[in-house]
Amino acid sequence: MGKIIFLDIDGTLCNDAGLVPDSAKEAIIHAYERGHRFYLCTGRSKAEISDEVLALPISGIIGAGGGYCEIDGEVIFHHVFDSAELKKMIRFLEGHQIEYYLESNQGLFASAKLRERLIQLSLGDSAEESEEGQKKIAAIKWFLDLLIEDSSLIDYEDVNKLSFINHSVPYEVIHEEYDGDFHMLRSTVPAFGPDSGEIGLKNINKKTAIETVLEKIQRSKEDCLAFGDGNNDLVMFEAVGVGIAMGNAKDELKAAADEITLTHDEGGIAHILAKLD
């Protein structure tokens, strides 16, 4: 019987440009043909997962950091915010001049100046009209194209996570406001800056979602591998038999891993999958 393999996306399946290296694509297809099965396990909401990733032989999706799950196209669960609490949270962020986007299966809904802030972050010291500046903007175009800026289209009853891009107050101010009532996490996207982060539902994470998947498909923890790179993958490693940290992973995750592989662009996923039967 093949293994069950959980894949984080950013920094793991996808490189820093948001693309899946050819080595990973080929290795996943070959492993699937040998009987192994793959599940995405990502902080991204479903609307944020690219067609390139979805074209892989994926048996299921854990999204929104554990807030959403589907297996073979069937939605197993979808946890969402209380709309009143969400609107209160938005008022807090806007009062502190913090940009954000609401993550929903219907799309990613951006605050008024989020697009402008993301372009500024990408450019850094580069002039927008320079060739280097244009390349940096092109690298995030896929994400900018996902953003919906018409707030009248938001369904506040269907939001499963909130991500904030913050350069106004220390991260700790936001953490203190919401930790305990919600699941707080520093952003795993370095370009967003150290004071940015995510707000998710309490007691919902990658571990809880994996446990639900394994119960549903009647497989054991010992049958599972997981690939990750960020500290939000620490709980994912707790839910599987073997946790594999990418070569570009955070030091804390490497310390918790059963094995450390190469980076995404060096063929880290392919290196491990080649060792399966």
Side-chain angles (χ1 to χ4, degrees):
M1 186 179 292
K3 295 290 187 182
I4 302 298
I5 301 165
F6 294 94
L7 299 167
D8 172 54
I9 294 182
D10 294 294
T12 302
L13 179 60
C14 290
N15 60 20
D16 294 344
L19 301 174
V20 181
D22 288 341
S23 63
K25 287 182 185 178
E26 294 167 6
I28 289 169
I29 291 169
H30 291 155
Y32 179 83
E33 291 171 347
R34 301 198 308 274
H36 304 294
R37 293 295 175 259
F38 294 88
Y39 290 77
L40 300 176
C41 192
T42 177
R44 294 191 190 191
S45 293
K46 188 176 181 181
E48 197 180 351
I49 301 174
S50 68
D51 290 341
E52 179 187 37
V53 171
L54 294 175
L56 294 169
I58 299 298
S59 297
I61 299 169
I62 291 172
Y68 173 82
C69 177
E70 66 176 59
I71 299 174
D72 294 327
E74 177 190 356
V75 177
I76 305 304
F77 61 77
H78 184 199
H79 303 296
V80 296
F81 281 105
D82 174 81
S83 61
E85 289 290 342
L86 178 62
K87 290 175 181 178
K88 182 179 177 182
M89 194 180 298
I90 290 170
R91 289 194 294 271
F92 173 86
L93 295 174
E94 291 179 345
H96 287 80
Q97 298 181 310
I98 297 167
E99 302 305 322
Y100 60 88
Y101 56 97
L102 308 179
E103 302 189 28
S104 160
N105 284 350
Q106 309 306 314
L108 304 183
F109 296 89
S111 59
K113 295 184 179 179
L114 177 64
R115 181 182 297 269
E116 177 184 334
R117 175 64 56 83
L118 290 173
I119 290 173
Q120 290 173 345
L121 287 173
S122 296
L123 289 173
D125 296 328
S126 304
E128 186 171 348
E129 64 273 9
S130 70
E131 183 177 350
E132 181 185 1
Q134 289 298 312
K135 285 181 179 178
K136 289 182 176 181
I137 293 175
I140 65 166
K141 184 179 183 301
W142 70 272
F143 182 74
L144 296 177
D145 287 346
L146 292 176
L147 298 178
I148 300 169
E149 297 175 292
D150 184 349
S151 61
S152 70
L153 298 176
I154 300 172
D155 180 355
Y156 291 97
E157 304 283 350
D158 189 46
V159 174
N160 49 39
K161 199 175 72 163
L162 182 153
S163 292
F164 57 89
I165 315 302
N166 168 44
H167 296 84
S168 302
V169 299
Y171 169 83
E172 287 73 19
V173 171
I174 307 169
H175 184 94
E176 184 176 346
E177 180 74 15
Y178 293 109
D179 187 46
D181 295 324
F182 297 93
H183 178 63
M184 292 293 302
L185 183 71
R186 283 188 188 271
S187 176
T188 58
V189 182
F192 287 177
D195 290 315
S196 298
E198 303 175 356
I199 306 174
L201 295 167
K202 187 177 180 180
N203 299 323
I204 299 295
N205 55 51
K206 292 184 176 185
K207 178 182 179 181
T208 60
I210 287 175
E211 290 172 344
T212 300
V213 168
L214 295 183
E215 182 178 357
K216 180 74 174 178
I217 65 174
Q218 297 185 316
R219 296 293 295 270
S220 70
K221 173 180 178 177
E222 289 69 33
D223 292 332
C224 302
L225 287 72
F227 289 85
D229 75 301
N231 287 348
N232 62 330
D233 296 319
L234 286 165
V235 290
M236 178 169 70
F237 283 8
E238 293 175 7
V240 299
V242 178
I244 302 157
M246 304 300 290
N248 48 280
K250 298 288 187 183
D251 289 341
E252 189 175 351
L253 189 70
K254 287 181 176 179
D258 298 292
E259 189 167 350
I260 300 171
T261 188
L262 304 170
T263 69
H264 36 54
D265 282 327
E266 292 171 342
I269 289 177
H271 177 71
I272 298 295
L273 295 184
K275 297 192 287 185
L276 299 181
D277 57 10

